[in-house]
Amino acid sequence: MDQDLSNSSKEELIKKITELKDDLKRTKKYGLVWDKEKNPEAVVEACKTKIPVLNEDTSKRIILGQNDNLLIEGDNFHSLTALNFILANSIDVIYIDPPYNTGHGDFIYNDNYVNADDGFRHSKWLSFMAKRLELARNLLTNRGAIYMSIDDREVFNLKLLCDSIFGEKNFICCFVKEGSGGKQDSVTYSVKHEYLLCYSKNAQAFIPNREKKHRDKKEFKFFDKAKNMYYKTQLLRKWGDQDRREDRPNLYYPLFINKKGLISTKEEENSQAYFPVNSLKQEGRWRWAKNSMQDNIDNGLVEYKKQNGEIIFYEKIFYDETDVLSKPFSTIISNVDKRGIEEISSIFGDKVFSYPKSVDYLKYIIGLFPSDCNTVLDFFAGSGTTGQAVMELNKEDGGHRRFILCTNNENSICETITYPRLKTVMSGFRKDGSKYGDGIKANLFYFKTDFVNDSKNRDQAKYSLVEKCNGLLSILEDCFILKDKATNYFEYSDCGDKRMFIYNDFYSKKPFDEMKEKIKKETGKKILYIFSTDDDLSPFDLSDLTDVEVKPIPTKIYEIYKEIVEDIKRGE
């Protein structure tokens, strides 16, 4: 070390070396590592001092059916943060179509487009995605799954990122979606595909849906006059693995053909015996036990044919138009993404959105999950294709899925494209009054992100938060219809036979007594939220509200917010 260095310079140098050593120790030995953010993302940093909340714009409310759906306008980091307060472990399916980071104006970071010559292009994208996927994972149910569209530019980075967030053991598969045309920016090959990555929150609890298809009648080439039905055949002997006699000795027995050409497991005079022989001309075995074989023969399900001087026995499989095959979905997806622009144009009369996914493709993706799915979230909602897909799928299979769409309002997209599209599909009428279709009856509630300052005085911060958490609570309880707002301190809403009451005056007895009298007059399931800085409700006399579920607010919301802030500070 240079002897001319002062003691303070030496101390600074030693401190810097120590920091670098510690940094190296923390660095992963395997996995995805990217450059730290030189300029942290502004919308994320804002959450260090501001608590995101959701406020409903009631002027955009649509009430036409039973399923309550949400459209949230605002940066998706703020939307996801707010949803984490109330819907953790509640979302079955998440689908996202994030920016592909092409370098051609599709990805914005801190209000600037990230271009192809940006040396930190991939690092910015990974930081952007990591923060949102962490929040998204918290929202999934234990059996839930997330599906992510992506192309060659970031698919491998995204795979490693998701391995670290969801766990490599929870990777389900990577679907390959075949496109309709090749990209012209490739100078070597015509790129006609992109990817759909799928992760579950818990692979052991995840049970994927199975593809169900009607049998193709063209496969049934033979006709049975006695049954007046078409059928096809398959070998009666076992084929493939374990097709030898010694594998299942009890399934090695003769079939007999008598003088009339009839088949039986019982020997008759002058009947000819035939034993199963496998493809290697060894002693084989049948696929059915002897008793089952005779039953199927009696029911006309067995026949034989003479081929190259050899008698071959077949099972007859009859065509049934109600018969549905069930099998795992293929990881190759084709012929489902060709009409996105046409679908948008049919609503707006023009191409108002670039490269929209088609409704059929989104229906296919949502259909990969069992039909008892409750909630579908898309936090890169764009033109709203996911919402339309959920509604159409519900109409087709009788499901009761609801959607939550999150999108910013860049270039007024939420107000002028996403919302009008959903309204058109629900009502059946375009903005100009022309008829679009029959309409799919559903409800839509339009929310916007807002903020509460996180005061250094925690009690003050909680009080400010409770004044703006009504929107969050209405989403949590699925209770949106305001019935009474008697004072600034008390209001109640309902949804069917559920009643939600919110009371936020901690200090006044008279308003509290008035509120209790109103609650007692109501029927149905009743939930009461009361403001408390520490979850202590003992100052309130609740003994006469025996049929009411009482919950303190907003301590839990505030604690979750603080956990998210700590993650931001740690760079997680």
Side-chain angles (χ1 to χ4, degrees):
M1 184 177 291
D2 193 333
Q3 294 184 358
D4 293 334
L5 286 173
S6 66
N7 288 334
S8 61
S9 297
K10 289 179 181 178
E11 289 175 1
E12 290 175 2
L13 184 59
I14 291 171
K15 181 181 178 182
K16 184 63 176 177
I17 291 171
T18 302
E19 289 176 353
L20 289 171
K21 285 181 177 179
D22 291 340
D23 204 23
L24 284 172
K25 289 178 182 178
R26 288 193 296 267
T27 301
K28 297 178 182 179
K29 300 300 185 289
Y30 173 78
L32 186 64
V33 180
W34 66 91
D35 296 308
K36 292 181 179 178
E37 295 172 298
K38 286 190 174 181
N39 298 305
E41 192 179 357
V43 295
V44 176
E45 289 295 296
C47 289
K48 288 182 179 180
T49 57
K50 295 181 179 180
I51 308 171
V53 293
L54 301 174
N55 292 332
E56 187 189 355
D57 180 349
T58 56
S59 69
K60 292 183 172 64
R61 181 182 289 182
I62 301 171
I63 305 295
L64 294 172
Q66 294 183 338
N67 292 339
D68 293 337
N69 305 289
L70 307 180
L71 175 58
I72 302 174
E73 175 194 320
D75 186 273
N76 57 13
F77 183 83
H78 298 151
S79 301
L80 289 170
T81 299
L83 291 175
N84 264 259
F85 302 154
I86 52 174
L87 295 183
N89 308 308
S90 298
I91 308 296
D92 286 317
V93 173
I94 297 176
Y95 168 75
I96 58 171
D97 184 18
Y100 286 5
N101 201 16
T102 64
H104 302 301
D106 71 317
F107 172 43
I108 295 178
Y109 191 88
N110 283 347
D111 296 327
N112 294 311
Y113 285 106
V114 179
N115 297 316
D117 58 356
D118 189 327
F120 289 88
R121 171 179 151 204
H122 296 289
S123 295
K124 289 177 179 178
W125 188 86
L126 285 166
S127 296
F128 170 87
M129 290 298 296
K131 293 177 175 65
R132 287 154 178 81
L133 290 175
E134 288 280 4
L135 294 173
R137 183 190 178 280
N138 297 337
L139 295 174
L140 284 173
T141 60
N142 191 45
R143 67 165 186 160
I146 180 169
Y147 300 87
M148 297 160 281
S149 288
I150 198 68
D151 73 2
D152 301 84
R153 295 175 180 87
E154 298 288 2
V155 62
F156 306 109
N157 288 334
L158 182 60
K159 171 68 169 63
L160 288 172
L161 177 64
C162 288
D163 281 349
S164 67
I165 293 174
F166 296 93
E168 187 176 358
K169 64 182 180 181
N170 293 318
F171 171 65
I172 301 302
C173 69
C174 179
F175 295 90
V176 178
K177 182 180 74 65
E178 181 183 4
S180 57
K183 294 179 182 176
Q184 299 306 310
D185 59 351
S186 174
V187 296
T188 51
Y189 300 105
S190 177
V191 180
K192 300 178 67 174
H193 70 277
E194 61 180 42
Y195 305 96
L196 181 72
L197 282 177
C198 176
Y199 280 79
S200 66
K201 189 171 186 177
N202 179 356
Q204 293 182 328
F206 173 69
I207 301 176
N209 200 8
R210 292 176 66 86
E211 187 173 17
K212 298 175 178 60
K213 288 186 175 181
H214 289 280
R215 294 183 184 272
D216 186 354
K217 191 174 182 179
K218 295 179 181 178
E219 297 176 7
F220 299 80
K221 301 177 180 179
F222 308 109
F223 187 73
D224 187 312
K225 293 182 179 180
K227 292 182 178 290
N228 194 31
M229 295 176 68
Y230 284 93
Y231 70 94
K232 64 180 181 178
T233 61
Q234 67 178 5
L235 288 173
L236 198 53
R237 67 168 174 82
K238 177 69 171 71
W239 64 89
D241 295 336
Q242 298 185 336
D243 65 344
R244 301 170 302 170
R245 176 180 182 177
E246 56 261 39
D247 293 323
R248 293 288 296 275
N250 63 312
L251 299 183
Y252 178 81
Y253 56 86
L255 288 180
F256 298 95
I257 300 178
N258 65 17
K259 291 180 179 181
K260 297 180 179 180
L262 301 178
I263 309 168
S264 176
T265 58
K266 300 171 185 178
E267 185 176 10
E268 299 178 18
E269 186 178 354
N270 296 322
S271 60
Q272 182 68 44
Y274 297 90
F275 288 86
V277 178
N278 67 17
S279 59
L280 298 178
K281 304 302 180 184
Q282 301 168 335
E283 291 180 339
R285 67 179 183 86
W286 304 115
R287 291 189 291 110
W288 299 326
K290 195 171 184 178
N291 290 339
S292 298
M293 178 71 79
Q294 188 59 54
D295 288 342
N296 289 330
I297 290 172
D298 295 339
N299 289 323
L301 301 181
V302 178
E303 71 174 14
Y304 65 90
K305 296 178 182 178
K306 192 171 184 178
Q307 297 176 338
N308 300 323
E310 183 180 359
I311 296 296
I312 308 294
F313 291 89
Y314 293 94
E315 174 191 3
K316 298 167 71 174
I317 302 172
F318 289 91
Y319 175 73
D320 181 351
E321 63 182 10
T322 64
D323 191 13
V324 177
L325 293 173
S326 176
K327 62 179 182 179
F329 278 90
S330 170
T331 56
I332 305 297
I333 305 174
S334 58
N335 300 319
V336 291
D337 198 23
K338 296 181 179 179
R339 298 185 61 250
I341 292 177
E342 293 177 23
E343 290 162 350
I344 286 285
S345 298
S346 70
I347 292 175
F348 296 97
D350 194 6
K351 178 185 174 182
V352 295
F353 192 82
S354 300
Y355 310 114
K357 293 292 189 289
S358 76
V359 174
D360 283 347
Y361 181 44
L362 267 296
K363 285 160 65 175
Y364 182 90
I365 293 171
I366 298 166
L368 294 171
F369 197 87
S371 60
D372 64 346
C373 162
N374 292 315
T375 308
V376 178
L377 168 66
D378 181 349
F379 55 90
F380 287 97
S383 67
T385 305
T386 300
Q388 182 173 348
V390 168
M391 288 188 283
E392 289 193 8
L393 202 55
N394 283 342
K395 184 177 181 179
E396 291 172 11
D397 65 12
H400 297 283
R401 309 167 188 86
R402 71 165 181 162
F403 62 79
I404 301 176
L405 306 185
C406 307
T407 185
N408 59 29
N409 203 29
E410 181 187 350
N411 298 322
S412 301
I413 182 176
C414 192
E415 293 179 303
T416 62
I417 298 177
T418 319
Y419 175 75
R421 177 182 191 171
L422 298 174
K423 186 175 182 180
T424 296
V425 174
M426 289 177 176
S427 67
F429 293 93
R430 300 180 182 88
K431 187 176 181 179
D432 62 7
S434 62
K435 189 173 178 59
Y436 168 76
D438 295 333
I440 301 176
K441 307 308 178 186
N443 302 332
L444 183 68
F445 300 91
Y446 190 112
F447 283 82
K448 295 182 179 181
T449 54
D450 195 3
F451 298 93
V452 173
N453 289 327
D454 181 19
S455 170
K456 291 183 179 179
N457 182 328
R458 289 203 168 195
D459 286 353
Q460 179 58 48
K462 289 180 180 179
Y463 193 82
S464 299
L465 176 58
V466 82
E467 288 184 319
K468 284 195 172 184
C469 72
N470 291 14
L472 294 172
L473 297 178
S474 66
I475 295 172
L476 173 62
E477 298 295 347
D478 193 22
C479 209
F480 298 96
I481 310 303
L482 180 66
K483 288 297 183 182
D484 187 8
K485 188 173 178 63
T487 69
N488 291 330
Y489 306 113
F490 169 66
E491 69 176 56
Y492 87 86
S493 306
D494 73 6
C495 176
D497 63 348
K498 181 192 288 188
R499 310 286 180 268
M500 179 183 71
F501 307 89
I502 302 174
Y503 183 77
N504 62 6
D505 186 351
F506 190 82
Y507 304 103
S508 304
K509 185 176 185 306
K510 182 179 178 182
F512 181 70
D513 290 339
E514 292 175 351
M515 175 204 67
K516 286 203 298 182
E517 292 305 312
K518 288 179 176 288
I519 293 176
K520 291 176 185 177
K521 294 177 182 178
E522 294 297 326
T523 58
K525 180 180 180 180
K526 294 182 275 189
I527 300 170
L528 170 61
Y529 285 95
I530 299 180
F531 169 71
S532 172
T533 57
D534 55 4
D535 285 356
D536 180 15
L537 299 180
S538 59
F540 295 96
D541 180 9
L542 302 168
S543 59
D544 52 345
L545 296 180
T546 56
D547 62 343
V548 181
E549 182 180 1
V550 183
K551 300 179 181 181
I553 50 170
T555 297
K556 184 177 180 181
I557 293 175
Y558 190 73
E559 288 174 352
I560 294 172
Y561 162 71
K562 282 300 185 183
E563 290 174 7
I564 293 172
V565 169
E566 287 304 311
D567 287 342
I568 295 172
K569 290 179 179 178
R570 289 195 297 267
E572 296 178 0

